[in-house]
Amino acid sequence: MTEYRNLGRTGVRVSPLALGTMMFGARGNADHDDSVRIIHHALDAGINVIDTADVYSAGESETIVGKALAGGRRDNVVLATKFHGRLGDDPNEYGNSRRWIIREVENSLRRLSTDWIDLYQVHRPEPDTDFDETLGALSDLVHQGKIRYIGTSTFEPSAIVEGQWTAERRGRERVVAEQPPYSLLARGIEREVLPVAQRYGLGVLSWSPLAGGWLTGRYRTGAEQPASSRAERQAARFDIAAPGNAAKLAAAEALAVLAEEAGITLVQLALAFVLEHPAVTSAIIGPRTFGQLESQLGADKVRLGRDVLDRIDEIVPPGVNLSALDAGYTPAVVTDASLRRRWA
């Protein structure tokens, strides 16, 4: 039986595993009927959180989720989606402005075939937009009943704190959840993000617990790199010649051996590890196929002993991302030289 957890201090109870739907649609499983079947199986297994985004296959993922929740399933699902990414050529068809938020929430509601969104999340930070502008628009949507709660994704610790202070000082609805990347190979958020989330009572829905496929057992030393649409889109994250990726491959090998010794699969080890952290509410799994979903269901029932957790810390030290690319977001002050050179 699923043991549901509190989403921060909201009083909403959510399953330890959440179903991510990034792989439903043109970028993954383009068969709508099969995708709906996978969603229904996840719900039947006790998962009650579905996470999507407007940019997943340009809205197709939201459409598939809407189909899956038709016929009376909507009321029992905590439905989360996100905005921010570019969805057109117009200069205002993306971002965190009030103009775009008010327009795009209507598009998401239509695609999802619902009257409300439980958790509406800012997909990425946007330093050029005053966060009070964003929170103001989102607060209005809460008051209108179109969304229930506000969340963020891949925000840095300082931005998370700024959001809490802005809400308090300006009388806005507060952010109640953060969605960061977290896995056995990407533990950077243990340093500040997770402690800050605990301090402010935020729920944490972590994404990429299988490290983009690195922790499925498919990547092995000396073996041919498996074909992957994700690897084609993000080649730098899967180039074995890169030092960070070579370190990930070595760690994945060692973790696979540890999982075998513990009598569980590497997938179970990876998901159980993420759920072990007291700050994490749910781990978002993102299956493309029915078989992938089956391999991940039940991982929330696995308990890791102290000896296994100590071995994990030896393989990948706490607070460390083996590859900087797995942080999910790099601030513009790092990528844009003109912002850190006085005379550039």
Side-chain angles (χ1 to χ4, degrees):
M1 183 176 180
T2 301
E3 296 182 4
Y4 295 91
R5 301 176 172 190
N6 290 320
L7 180 64
R9 299 188 186 131
T10 64
V12 176
R13 302 281 286 172
V14 296
S15 51
L17 294 180
L19 182 66
T21 66
M22 185 177 73
M23 299 307 295
F24 296 154
R27 70 182 297 171
N29 188 342
D31 186 328
H32 286 209
D33 290 339
D34 188 48
S35 297
V36 167
R37 186 171 72 102
I38 294 169
I39 294 172
H40 286 173
H41 186 56
L43 298 180
D44 292 340
I47 290 177
N48 76 337
V49 181
I50 296 180
D51 178 77
T52 185
D54 57 1
V55 292
Y56 294 167
S57 296
E60 188 181 2
S61 171
E62 288 187 326
T63 298
I64 291 170
V65 171
K67 291 179 179 179
L69 296 184
R73 288 184 177 263
R74 171 66 185 94
D75 287 348
N76 296 324
V77 169
V78 178
L79 181 58
T81 191
K82 299 179 283 291
F83 69 90
H84 167 82
R86 182 174 291 281
L87 281 171
D89 296 330
D90 187 281
N92 290 307
E93 287 185 306
Y94 79 100
N96 301 344
S97 70
R98 168 179 286 272
R99 187 179 191 275
W100 178 240
I101 292 168
I102 298 302
R103 174 181 168 185
E104 185 55 11
V105 73
E106 299 296 341
N107 293 331
S108 286
L109 288 169
R110 184 186 68 254
R111 289 188 292 258
L112 291 164
S113 299
T114 186
D115 294 327
W116 83 97
I117 294 162
D118 292 291
L119 182 63
Y120 201 38
Q121 302 159 107
V122 191
H123 209 158
R124 288 294 187 275
E126 190 171 67
D128 291 340
T129 301
D130 187 347
F131 199 55
D132 182 57
E133 159 107 354
T134 303
L135 272 186
L138 293 171
S139 296
D140 287 346
L141 294 179
V142 171
H143 302 156
Q144 294 166 17
K146 294 182 178 180
I147 68 175
R148 298 291 189 257
Y149 300 104
I150 301 167
T152 54
S153 178
T154 322
F155 271 44
E156 295 185 290
S158 59
I160 295 173
V161 173
E162 179 190 357
Q164 297 296 306
W165 287 1
T166 299
E168 180 178 342
R169 292 172 177 174
R170 299 303 299 273
R172 307 299 193 189
E173 297 292 327
R174 64 186 286 270
V175 172
V176 304
E178 161 63 10
Q179 188 180 128
Y182 187 40
S183 73
L184 284 163
L185 305 181
R187 302 182 61 177
I189 66 168
E190 292 173 345
R191 289 181 175 273
E192 290 189 88
V193 171
L194 293 180
V196 166
Q198 288 177 296
R199 190 172 306 136
Y200 287 94
L202 302 185
V204 174
L205 308 174
S206 63
W207 57 270
S208 200
L210 299 182
W214 285 91
L215 296 171
T216 61
R218 299 176 64 207
Y219 291 83
R220 307 304 295 262
T221 302
E224 185 177 350
Q225 187 169 341
S228 165
S229 59
R230 183 176 294 166
E232 292 175 1
R233 293 191 305 269
Q234 302 173 323
R237 292 186 63 190
F238 295 88
D239 179 7
I240 302 299
N245 292 333
K248 285 162 59 175
L249 182 60
E253 286 275 6
L255 291 165
V257 172
L258 176 59
E260 185 175 0
E261 292 174 354
I264 57 178
T265 67
L266 179 57
V267 167
Q268 290 173 326
L269 178 75
L271 293 174
F273 166 79
V274 168
L275 292 172
E276 179 68 28
H277 198 291
V280 172
T281 310
S282 303
I284 300 173
I285 59 175
R288 178 178 54 82
T289 68
F290 194 87
Q292 289 174 354
L293 173 63
E294 281 282 278
S295 72
Q296 298 171 53
L297 290 176
D300 54 310
K301 310 296 192 303
V302 175
R303 297 293 178 265
L304 303 179
R306 180 174 295 181
D307 57 333
V308 173
L309 293 169
D310 288 344
R311 288 275 302 280
I312 289 172
D313 288 349
E314 293 172 2
I315 296 169
V316 182
V320 170
N321 285 348
L322 296 182
S323 170
L325 295 177
D326 291 336
Y329 171 74
T330 303
V333 292
V334 175
T335 60
D336 186 347
S338 68
L339 298 178
R340 51 186 165 79
R341 297 176 181 174
R342 186 181 297 273
W343 307 114

